[in-house]
Amino acid sequence: MSEIKKKIAVFVSGSGSNLQAIIDSIESGKLNCEIAFVIADRPCYALERAEKHNIRSVMLDRKLFGEKLSDEIDMILSDAGEISCIVLAGYLSIISENFVKKWNRKIINMHPSLLPKFGGKGMYGLKVHEAVLKAGEKESGCTVHYVDTGIDTGEPIMSMKVPVLEGDTPEILQKRVLEKEHQLLVKGLEKISKEEALKNVKV
């Protein structure tokens, strides 16, 4: 009997390159899961990637839903069947505390720094890389971590390092880190899947 594929949901706000890394790993057989839903909080290219691969997707504009955004997402995911993992892949909206508690240890986030350094409120996108360079750091990287009710404070799952090189701009460093993000997100999902499989093994 073939193993039942885990269902995941991917939340996006931008180009969706991390989403594409997951899609490619699923199609190559590296990841044994399926993307049940892609959810965006604004119009973005990631939705086009989902459509191209026939993945169900929805755009819930955070400007329209406001504080009800997380409730709306929760209803959609609850109707989608058993979701084993929610991946925040460049998702910029803050999800509610109630949502996080309901989906405890089922939500993971990719952050473009070596947490706990350069995490927290206001630390996203190029702002992270600007802060790294301003601080004179010799290395940076990315971290995939569980989401808790704080901002970038959840338990780390894995991280990957990159050097900070002389002459780096925030844009150059961002590109170097992003290449590692694509690898790390897949490795993080693999690790979670293996840990879940071990928990389900009956002694």
Side-chain angles (χ1 to χ4, degrees), residues 80-185:
E82 188 171 345
I83 302 293
S84 65
C85 185
I86 296 169
V87 181
L88 306 185
Y91 189 69
L92 297 180
S93 290
I94 301 296
I95 51 182
S96 73
E97 192 170 311
N98 286 339
F99 186 93
V100 172
K101 288 178 177 177
K102 177 178 178 179
W103 295 89
N104 182 43
R105 290 189 73 80
K106 287 191 174 183
I107 312 172
I108 66 172
N109 179 55
M110 173 61 68
H111 186 76
S113 77
L114 297 174
L115 292 175
K117 287 186 173 184
F118 307 104
K121 190 173 182 179
M123 285 290 101
Y124 61 88
L126 275 177
K127 292 183 179 182
V128 175
H129 308 296
E130 288 170 355
V132 169
L133 293 175
K134 186 176 180 180
E137 296 288 318
K138 299 300 182 184
E139 63 181 11
S140 188
C142 47
T143 306
V144 61
H145 65 96
Y146 287 108
V147 173
D148 62 11
T149 55
I151 301 176
D152 303 325
T153 56
E155 177 190 337
I157 299 168
M158 300 177 79
S159 63
M160 293 181 80
K161 296 178 179 179
V162 302
V164 176
L165 304 177
E166 187 176 348
D168 271 349
T169 64
E171 291 79 8
I172 291 172
L173 182 56
Q174 181 182 50
K175 184 177 180 181
R176 190 179 306 123
V177 171
L178 186 60
E179 290 173 358
K180 294 297 184 184
E181 285 183 35
H182 298 159
Q183 300 171 34
L184 183 63
L185 193 50

